Amino acid sequence: MPRIVGVDIPDNKVTYIALQYIHGIGKHSSLKICESLGLDPMRRSRDLTDEELARIANLIENEVVVEGNLRRQTQQNISRLKEIACYRGMRHRRGLPVRGQRTRTNSRTRKGPKKTVAGKKSVKSLR
């Protein structure tokens, strides 16, 4: 398995797909990387030479924000929103959906499992 920027990329996949295993690189940027280095994106990553891997790693380190730096940047952006107490920051704090989704039903991913609340007792049951 070739290793680029601290990530083992699969050797049985084509190069542009294998590059997408690096956090922060999607289809568009992986094709752009292959094009700028003059690599065939349909070539298997196991067929890449050490020199080509070094060129890919060098390009990614210098031009693209990936892996740890990208995760850190994202966390800093979220903490900034929380600090300034804007609407999105408050939604992050409360663990609710941030981008306008409904919460009356759904949103179980953000809210966690259901917490059942006991219903009101009717007047008839008290008599």
Side-chain angles (χ1 to χ4, degrees):
M1 281 189 167
R3 191 167 180 83
I4 300 175
V5 197
V7 177
D8 289 329
I9 61 171
D11 54 356
N12 59 338
K13 296 193 183 290
V14 292
T15 305
Y16 87 96
I17 297 289
L19 286 175
Q20 293 178 40
Y21 279 73
I22 300 170
H23 182 73
I25 295 182
K27 183 178 180 181
H28 179 76
S29 54
S30 67
L31 287 169
K32 204 170 178 183
I33 289 168
C34 290
E35 180 188 328
S36 66
L37 294 176
L39 299 173
D40 178 22
M42 297 308 289
R43 217 164 107 202
R44 299 278 170 185
S45 58
R46 66 173 162 250
D47 299 334
L48 293 174
T49 64
D50 290 334
E51 187 262 330
E52 289 171 332
L53 289 171
R55 283 185 13 220
I56 291 171
N58 190 21
L59 182 85
I60 289 173
E61 286 176 10
N62 294 332
E63 295 185 17
V64 185
V65 180
V66 291
E67 286 300 320
N69 292 337
L70 180 61
R71 293 177 205 272
R72 194 173 309 108
Q73 192 176 23
T74 306
Q75 283 304 316
Q76 286 173 345
N77 290 340
I78 291 171
S79 65
R80 179 182 53 82
L81 291 172
K82 289 178 182 178
E83 284 175 21
I84 64 174
C86 66
Y87 180 79
R88 283 173 55 205
M90 298 307 291
R91 302 297 281 184
H92 273 291
R93 268 191 200 163
R94 294 178 183 154
L96 293 169
V98 178
R99 297 183 177 179
Q101 297 91 333
R102 66 179 293 140
T103 56
R104 183 171 181 174
T105 60
N106 305 333
S107 76
R108 282 288 140 215
T109 304
R110 290 290 301 202
K111 291 167 74 174
K114 271 188 182 177
K115 300 171 213 69
T116 306
V117 178
K120 278 192 168 183
K121 294 190 177 183
S122 65
V123 178
K124 291 180 183 175
S125 65
L126 295 175
R127 292 181 186 185

